[in-house]
């Protein structure tokens, strides 16, 4: 279960709000797997999560580009790699059908990726915000 704390802060309020929303979505997916309701809602979940992630990525990439963040390009590559992984999961749900194992695998992948990505790349925004403010 993902729980927001200060180490995830990017220094950009809108980005943080979107990350919090992603945490909520990933946690809700986890809960639906445990409540055994995920099978019924899997298509909506995949669409909703996929759309939200793409909108968020675009927004964050724009922020980093505008602030000339040194990790901007790395961020775009990481986002594209995640979208590729996500698309592969969507295709597997289509071809294999729903299974608890696959749902748990997606949940685990999304959760681990978010933590690693936010802490490793997105938090660099903090330093760019400060630089921008002094410029
Ligand atoms: Fe990012």
């Amino acid at each position: 279960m993902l729980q927001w704390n200060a180490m995830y802060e990017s220094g950009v309020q809108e980005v943080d709000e979107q990350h919090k929303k992603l945490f909520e979505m990933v946690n809700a997916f986890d809960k639906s797997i445990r409540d055994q309701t995920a099978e019924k809602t899997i298509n909506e979940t995949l669409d909703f999560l996929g759309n939200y992630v793409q909108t968020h990525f675009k927004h964050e990439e724009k922020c980093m580009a505008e602030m000339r963040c040194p990790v901007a390009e790395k961020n775009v590559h990481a986002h594209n790699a995640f979208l590729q992984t996500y698309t592969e999961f969507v295709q597997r749900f289509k071809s294999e059908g729903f299974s608890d194992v696959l749902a748990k695998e997606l949940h685990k992948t999304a959760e681990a990726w978010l933590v690693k990505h936010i802490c490793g790349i997105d938090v660099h925004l903090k330093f760019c915000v400060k630089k921008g403010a002094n410029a």
Side-chain angles (χ1 to χ4, degrees):
M1 167 124 162
L2 290 163
Q3 209 158 7
W4 187 264
N5 68 53
M7 76 174 178
Y8 297 118
E9 283 170 10
S10 70
V12 180
Q13 203 188 345
E14 216 178 338
V15 168
D16 287 348
E17 291 308 319
Q18 291 171 358
H19 284 159
K20 283 179 192 168
K21 175 81 184 158
L22 280 169
F23 277 23
E24 274 172 33
M25 288 164 93
V26 171
N27 286 339
F29 182 49
D30 184 29
K31 189 178 184 305
S32 74
I33 297 168
R34 282 187 277 115
D35 293 345
Q36 303 201 314
T37 58
E39 186 170 4
K40 267 185 254 162
T41 53
I42 190 67
N43 288 332
E44 291 101 281
T45 305
L46 291 175
D47 282 353
F48 197 59
L49 194 58
N51 286 334
Y52 192 83
V53 163
Q54 289 200 48
T55 307
H56 163 64
F57 282 176
K58 275 185 203 140
H59 177 259
E60 198 186 83
E61 286 167 14
K62 198 167 160 263
C63 285
M64 280 203 184
E66 279 170 6
M67 293 177 193
R68 290 171 201 209
C69 204
V71 295
E73 209 176 314
K74 211 173 156 191
N75 193 33
V76 173
H77 287 301
H79 286 171
N80 289 341
F82 181 77
L83 288 176
Q84 177 65 39
T85 303
Y86 191 76
T87 305
E88 281 162 20
F89 270 105
V90 173
Q91 281 162 354
R92 282 181 66 193
F93 274 108
K94 266 191 205 145
S95 60
E96 296 169 27
F98 179 88
S99 73
D100 253 22
V101 174
L102 187 55
K104 280 178 188 162
E105 201 185 316
L106 170 59
H107 170 259
K108 215 177 126 194
T109 302
E111 190 177 76
W113 187 85
L114 264 179
V115 169
K116 194 172 159 240
H117 179 75
I118 293 175
C119 295
I121 296 183
D122 294 344
V123 292
H124 281 88
L125 267 170
K126 250 189 291 205
F127 311 113
C128 308
V129 171
K130 279 179 194 151
K131 251 198 282 175
N134 294 334

